[in-house]
Amino acid sequence: MDSSFEDPEPEASEPEADFEPLRAPPRASSFLVLGGGGEPASNEIALEKNVLYFQRTLQSLGLAPESASIYFANGTDGKATVRYRAGGRGARDSFKSLEIPHLKGAATLEHFLEWLEDSARNAPERPVFLYFTGHGGMNGNNLNNNHLALWDSDTLTVRAFGLFLGQLPSTTPVVTMMSQCYSGSFANFIYQDANPQRPVVAQPRCGFFATVEYLPSVGCTPEVDESDYRDYSSSFFAGLAGVSRTGSAVASADHDGDGRVSYAEAHAFAKVDGETTDLPISTSEAWLQRRVRGADMRAFLSKPILEVSRTGRPEQRHVVESLVRRLHFVAERSWLDNVQAVELETAEREADAMRLRMELLNIGMEHKVRASGSAPALAVLERLLQCERGSWESPSAPALTSPLSSSQKHDK
């Protein structure tokens, strides 16, 4: 496990940016889902079931599933493109047609652009929540500009994604939740040209991602048993709505006690709910971690965990406390001392240790930025955090909607 404290770059400075503060956490009322594989071989049933769980999550929060625009794989042409495996060990892969209610069409670049054009024309001020459940690719020459895979060999890079979102008004908040491999690269959509050396864009943007830009994520499987699924989006939506993908209640993620679960709180829930090798990250966390230098690592990883976590927000302290318990660490000792004293026997435990390391750096760097008094840095930080405190716009009284019918659950 890398614990290098080298200082390869000078202290980060914030490029001047021209943007308005975000006055309140955005409540998303415009929903877009893009998903599926780029071809039948990579169009696993788990991805289809992720969309169905997303629709159930809408219902759990009193929202109509048909309110979301959903574009998935080959869309409505009826072809059998969903790969699944049923029958236990040794079973062969089979293919079936899509069974997603309210599906609008294929997950193509053309349909994404049409949705943006329609939104800009008919609902320009409605805050956007965009969920991507599919596959991603790594750009070996520039990890700041990875891509996601769309149907029929279409791809969408971070840079193009950011540019296309510019069709919406500069005042329209956009929140993304992405679960593909190498998805952390999309945290760079907050910058002009997806370049962290450039200023942030005027449009309020933030996002939550299954893992960092240089690692694959888990969750794409042709197996049909949903109770075995372990992936970031499953945990994120469980935290957001308080209901797991199998219908059971989960512990409340409302750590600040304000009566609603924010995106940031759902993200924190996912960090400790999903025992996987993923390293979840948000836009504010990526922004903070980019500023970390060797001296910061020495400071935050060599101090007692309790001391560093004391300045964290409620959901951050929950992550630290939960991971400390799971790892059998001693909170009165430093992260470095604990790592040297405790054997991390599995890849999942190693990931837990890295998640804890990241959380301590997030907390420490946020405290450092606030103490610095840098107006440009504080302006960016506050807008990112305000965006990440957003949630879905729920009706004042929960809608009395019935659960999806058994024919809509699609458990093959």
Side-chain angles (χ1 to χ4, degrees):
M1 191 170 294
D2 182 19
S3 58
S4 171
F5 295 144
E6 297 286 330
D7 271 318
E9 300 176 30
E11 192 76 17
S13 60
E14 198 62 36
E16 291 293 335
D18 183 18
F19 59 83
E20 293 296 321
L22 192 55
R23 301 298 180 185
R27 299 290 186 97
S29 57
S30 181
F31 298 93
L32 172 65
V33 178
L34 294 171
E39 58 184 359
S42 61
N43 193 30
E44 296 89 354
I45 195 171
L47 301 175
E48 180 188 49
K49 285 176 177 283
N50 284 348
V51 177
L52 299 176
Y53 181 36
F54 168 84
Q55 292 179 319
R56 297 197 299 274
T57 303
L58 285 172
Q59 281 190 316
S60 297
L61 294 175
L63 297 162
E66 60 268 26
S67 66
S69 297
I70 298 176
Y71 299 93
F72 189 92
N74 57 304
T76 57
D77 65 12
K79 294 181 180 178
T81 64
V82 178
R83 183 167 70 96
Y84 72 96
R85 188 181 304 145
R89 189 173 181 179
R92 294 184 177 182
D93 289 352
S94 300
F95 292 85
K96 71 177 191 69
S97 301
L98 292 174
E99 300 175 79
I100 300 175
H102 316 298
L103 179 64
K104 288 187 176 295
T108 61
L109 183 58
E110 180 182 6
H111 281 149
F112 173 55
L113 295 177
E114 287 176 358
W115 181 87
L116 283 173
E117 182 180 351
D118 180 70
S119 297
R121 181 174 59 251
N122 297 318
E125 300 301 326
R126 293 174 61 188
V128 171
F129 183 91
L130 189 156
Y131 171 40
F132 181 79
T133 176
H135 296 279
M138 183 171 63
N139 181 346
N141 295 320
N142 182 6
L143 290 176
N144 295 327
N145 195 35
N146 291 346
H147 68 268
L148 51 82
L150 298 175
W151 183 251
D152 201 21
S153 301
D154 274 355
T155 61
L156 184 60
T157 65
V158 181
R159 184 172 184 272
F161 180 65
L163 288 172
F164 291 145
L165 288 175
Q167 295 182 43
L168 298 172
S170 63
T171 54
T172 300
V174 177
V175 179
T176 66
M177 196 275 273
M178 296 183 168
S179 59
Q180 77 272 18
C181 295
Y182 318 112
S183 54
S185 176
F186 276 77
N188 293 302
F189 87 128
I190 67 171
Y191 303 107
Q192 296 174 17
D193 297 327
N195 182 351
Q197 304 306 316
R198 299 203 63 192
V200 298
V201 296
Q203 188 179 60
R205 297 176 182 175
C206 64
F208 302 88
F209 311 96
T211 196
V212 291
E213 72 275 12
Y214 56 87
L215 289 179
S217 62
V218 303
C220 295
T221 176
E223 300 293 341
V224 300
D225 187 355
E226 216 161 336
S227 64
D228 290 334
Y229 290 4
R230 300 288 185 273
D231 66 285
Y232 175 75
S233 66
S234 295
S235 296
F236 184 95
F237 289 133
L240 195 66
V243 182
S244 77
R245 68 185 303 147
T246 56
S248 59
V250 302
S252 174
D254 180 18
H255 296 295
D256 63 7
D258 69 349
R260 70 181 180 93
V261 177
S262 68
Y263 302 131
E265 289 172 323
H267 177 61
F269 180 93
K271 290 179 183 179
V272 298
D273 177 62
E275 294 195 40
T276 71
T277 54
D278 287 344
L279 300 179
I281 192 166
S282 73
T283 37
S284 69
E285 293 165 354
W287 181 84
L288 287 166
Q289 290 172 30
R290 190 174 290 278
R291 308 174 77 88
V292 172
R293 298 296 176 261
D296 301 317
M297 290 191 189
R298 285 189 292 273
F300 306 135
L301 302 182
S302 300
K303 289 181 181 177
I305 292 172
L306 270 179
E307 181 180 341
V308 178
S309 64
R310 193 169 292 125
T311 63
R313 285 171 271 117
E315 70 272 16
Q316 292 178 311
R317 294 197 301 273
H318 169 72
V319 171
V320 171
E321 292 163 6
S322 299
L323 292 176
V324 164
R325 283 196 301 271
R326 183 182 295 171
L327 290 161
H328 304 293
F329 278 12
V330 178
E332 291 78 12
R333 302 177 67 183
S334 72
W335 182 88
L336 282 172
D337 287 343
N338 276 289
V339 166
Q340 292 169 0
V342 175
E343 184 177 357
L344 305 174
E345 298 179 343
T346 66
E348 288 76 17
R349 292 291 81 80
E350 289 184 0
D352 284 337
M354 287 302 295
R355 291 184 189 190
L356 178 57
R357 179 183 188 269
M358 291 167 68
E359 202 69 21
L360 293 171
L361 293 177
N362 296 337
I363 294 170
M365 288 305 298
E366 181 176 338
H367 181 70
K368 179 182 176 181
V369 169
R370 294 190 184 283
S372 74
S374 167
L378 283 169
V380 173
L381 176 63
E382 288 297 347
R383 193 171 72 153
L384 289 174
L385 293 178
Q386 186 79 305
C387 181
E388 293 177 5
R389 293 186 192 106
S391 58
W392 289 1
E393 181 67 78
S394 298
S396 55
L400 297 177
T401 53
S402 60
L404 292 179
S405 68
S406 58
S407 66
Q408 292 174 314
K409 290 181 181 177
H410 312 288
D411 292 326
K412 284 202 66 89

